[in-house]
């Protein structure tokens, strides 16, 4: 995205310590979005997250949760039980982000058929070898 078309100044994009692009990369990442959506209804345990997010490895879930916690989007609470009970919860900032994600997911749901049809038409025209497979 060109800065000239967005009205975003280079000073804002390269804000000290946390450029806008870095924030967008973090919150728009596949696993971050899935975690934010899964945790939107209140505190959730690690194993519940792991079960609800298809395809995520334990390691990737751990790393993504750690990064979301570092960025102030998720809080991690360890309850003093045996074994320890650990819960993750969205912060108010992440709840605001979740509201925005709902708009994006609604858009994706409304237009997924159109996009699938467009892909098929493009592939038929530009990548006919895919049709033979």
């Amino acid at each position: 995205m060109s800065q000239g078309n967005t009205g975003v100044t280079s000073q804002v994009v390269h804000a000290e310590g946390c450029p806008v692009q870095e924030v967008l990369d973090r919150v728009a990442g596949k696993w971050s979005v899935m975690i934010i959506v899964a945790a939107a209804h209140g505190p959730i345990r690690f194993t519940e997250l792991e079960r609800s997010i298809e395809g995520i490895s334990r390691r990737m879930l751990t790393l993504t949760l750690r990064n979301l916690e570092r960025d102030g989007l998720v809080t991690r609470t360890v309850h003093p039980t045996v074994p320890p009970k650990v819960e993750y919860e969205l912060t108010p900032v992440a709840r605001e982000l979740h509201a925005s994600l709902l708009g994006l997911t609604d858009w994706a749901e409304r237009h997924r058929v159109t996009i699938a049809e467009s892909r098929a038409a493009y592939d038929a025209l530009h990548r006919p070898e895919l049709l033979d497979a």
Side-chain angles (χ1 to χ4, degrees), residues 4 6 8 30 33 38 41 49 55 63-64 68-69 77 81 86 97 100 105 115 127:
T6 63
V8 176
K30 172 184 179 180
V33 168
H41 301 293
L49 280 169
L63 291 172
T64 306
L68 291 171
E69 184 180 8
T77 304
T81 59
V86 179
L97 173 60
S100 297
T105 55
I115 291 170
R127 303 172 72 189

Side-chain angles (χ1 to χ4, degrees), residues 17-83:
C18 197
V20 169
Q21 187 62 49
E22 183 181 325
V23 173
L24 290 174
D25 287 345
R26 171 85 74 224
V27 300
K30 172 184 179 180
W31 301 123
S32 294
V33 168
M34 300 295 281
I35 289 169
I36 290 166
V37 169
H41 301 293
I44 188 167
R45 295 183 69 176
F46 183 92
T47 52
E48 292 173 292
L49 280 169
E50 188 177 31
R51 280 193 298 266
S52 68
I53 301 172
E54 187 176 326
I56 194 167
S57 68
R58 268 182 171 253
R59 176 166 165 66
M60 185 53 66
L61 179 56
T62 299
L63 291 172
T64 306
L65 282 167
R66 209 173 278 156
N67 284 328
L68 291 171
E69 184 180 8
R70 180 176 180 239
D71 291 343
L73 299 174
V74 169
T75 57
R76 179 178 184 265
T77 304
V78 180
H79 298 279
T81 59
V82 177

